Amino acid sequence: MGSGGSGAARRAGGAGRRAKSCRVGWFRSATGNGLGVLGVLSFAVLLDASSVTAASTPSADELALLALANEARAEAGLRPLVWHDGLGQAARAHSTDMATRNCFQHNSCNGQNWITRVSRYYPSWSALGEIIALGGEPRALHEGWMVSAQHRSQILGAFSEFGAGVAVAQTPFGDWAYATEDFGDRGAIGLNDIPTLPAGGVSPRLGFDTTRELFVNYFHAGGGAPRAVRALVGSSCVNLARTAGSAANGTYGFDLRFTQSGCVPVVFEAIRSDGTIERWPSGKALLVGVGAGGLGCAETTNAVPTQNCGGGGGGGGGPTPMPTPAPTPGGTNDQLDGLRVTMRPGKSDPDAGIVTLQAKLPFLATFDPTSGPVSVQIRAAQAVPWTAIVPARCGDESCLTPNDRGTAFRGSVDATALSFTQAGDGSWRIRLTARRQTLDDVEGGTVDVVVTADGASYSGSAEAEIRSGRLTTN
């Protein structure tokens, strides 16, 4: 992936004072000059410049670039950027121009100044910025920009709105993606105008690699931490852990391993502190293409996952039963056996509840629960699902510590103790004890459990009854 230049302009008091557009850093041009590292190519659509109109819809890769920019801004304590169609069209037009005319520069290939181009789509601005690159999929593009101080300063600049454009062209080195990010500010976006879920993505969205990075931005202007952030993947609910920023202004993500080949719909969901449920993208789902069967997937589908993962408010009714995970279909063994669950609400202190879980995972040729967050979700009868997430890292170390032989992993985070131990038959057993939990009143009935570890989900159910004030599986 090659990083191009960065440009910036700012108006003061309505005057035309502007900084000079400049190219900095290193890049690989379409003719092979300079330095660069070839990244994994994204499957963006090559557009003719004449087809770029204000009605064009941003692609999944372009929206993923917004989510990644907001990830970096959240880590720096900055407000997220909001997509602006005009900036998106300016960026798309420039990427298409570069791809079709074989040039790599901020100014248009015919020599028109970049500020003139962006201003045509984004008038009345008080600040503008732009960065360009030639390379691969969204994460690789973003990380290439972030290692350059000049490009990083644009991503972390005093802007409020964002647009990105990606176009693909054939070069002597194969198909390469030309990418442009345009930044702007008009003083028109207040904190309360920022969506709860500004943007999200899956990287890479298409390909043969079964492990994909899921990520989504979360923002609450009032500072409220979310009750839950998750991805609806097929018919499954996958909990996401915070990977950058703060609880109220951060990015939540998970590296999920798919064992299904084909097109899998993904929608991100957040439950705000007031119980409001927000989803992204609105009214549609991203399609993740896995394996040969997924190379022809469209970017989105109107067949949106509809499962209710529970935990919301607003009178929407009780949650539906926890679905069995979709990321591991096709005959694989994803069943939890020997399921034992207890849930004891606090008596005099409602925050003194205790949850315990024991279960047997199937035989796994390889298993590393330190590779990502571990989540456990338990739904008892009509109660709101209880969820615990143990992050992959606790400071500079793994939250779960392996023994010398790699047959046991143990750790504690806050009031939750978690362990995985390998039995003689090669299967793994999970044990969890969570103290100081706030639990709703529990009733006897079916208990559904979903454990997500090492990028895969495992589920099981058991009947339970009330004994001595606690819910206990039979």
Side-chain angles (χ1 to χ4, degrees), residues 56-68:
S56 296
T57 301
S59 71
D61 281 354
E62 290 161 356
L63 291 170
L65 288 173
L66 170 58
L68 293 169

Side-chain angles (χ1 to χ4, degrees), residues 231-238 305 307 309 322-327 450 457:
L232 281 61
V233 181
S235 60
S236 138
C237 301
V238 178
Q307 64 266 29
C309 302
M322 185 61 58
T324 54
V450 176
S457 294

Side-chain angles (χ1 to χ4, degrees), residues 194-200 216-219 229 268-270 278-280:
I194 299 174
T196 301
L197 300 177
V216 67
N217 310 136
Y218 176 87
F219 181 77
V229 181
F268 295 99
E269 177 181 272
E278 302 283 354
R279 287 188 174 182
W280 186 94

Side-chain angles (χ1 to χ4, degrees), residues 195-279:
T196 301
L197 300 177
V202 179
S203 186
R205 191 182 64 84
L206 302 178
F208 290 94
D209 188 357
T210 58
T211 299
R212 308 299 173 87
E213 179 189 11
L214 281 60
F215 50 93
V216 67
N217 310 136
Y218 176 87
F219 181 77
H220 192 295
R227 294 187 187 179
V229 181
R230 52 213 177 189
L232 281 61
V233 181
S235 60
S236 138
C237 301
V238 178
N239 293 313
L240 306 181
R242 178 159 50 92
T243 58
S246 65
N249 178 20
T251 294
Y252 291 73
F254 187 70
D255 290 339
L256 184 66
R257 187 175 66 212
F258 293 75
T259 59
Q260 178 186 22
S261 178
C263 305
V264 182
V266 174
V267 171
F268 295 99
E269 177 181 272
I271 304 178
R272 291 161 40 120
S273 56
D274 60 6
T276 302
I277 297 178
E278 302 283 354
R279 287 188 174 182

Side-chain angles (χ1 to χ4, degrees), residues 299-364:
E299 288 203 340
T300 61
T301 177
N302 292 326
V304 180
T306 58
Q307 64 266 29
N308 184 343
C309 302
T320 57
M322 185 61 58
T324 54
T328 55
T332 59
N333 183 5
D334 58 4
Q335 183 68 32
L336 293 173
D337 293 324
L339 193 61
R340 298 178 60 186
V341 175
T342 65
M343 305 183 75
R344 187 184 71 185
K347 295 181 180 179
S348 58
D349 183 355
D351 297 326
I354 299 176
V355 178
T356 68
L357 165 70
Q358 296 184 39
K360 178 181 177 182
L361 279 65
F363 172 80
L364 301 169

Side-chain angles (χ1 to χ4, degrees), residues 7 38 65 68 84 101 114 134 200 206 229 332 354 390 411 425 458:
L38 179 62
L65 288 173
L68 293 169
H84 185 276
R101 299 189 184 184
W114 72 276
L134 177 62
L206 302 178
V229 181
T332 59
I354 299 176
V390 175
D425 62 359
Y458 309 91

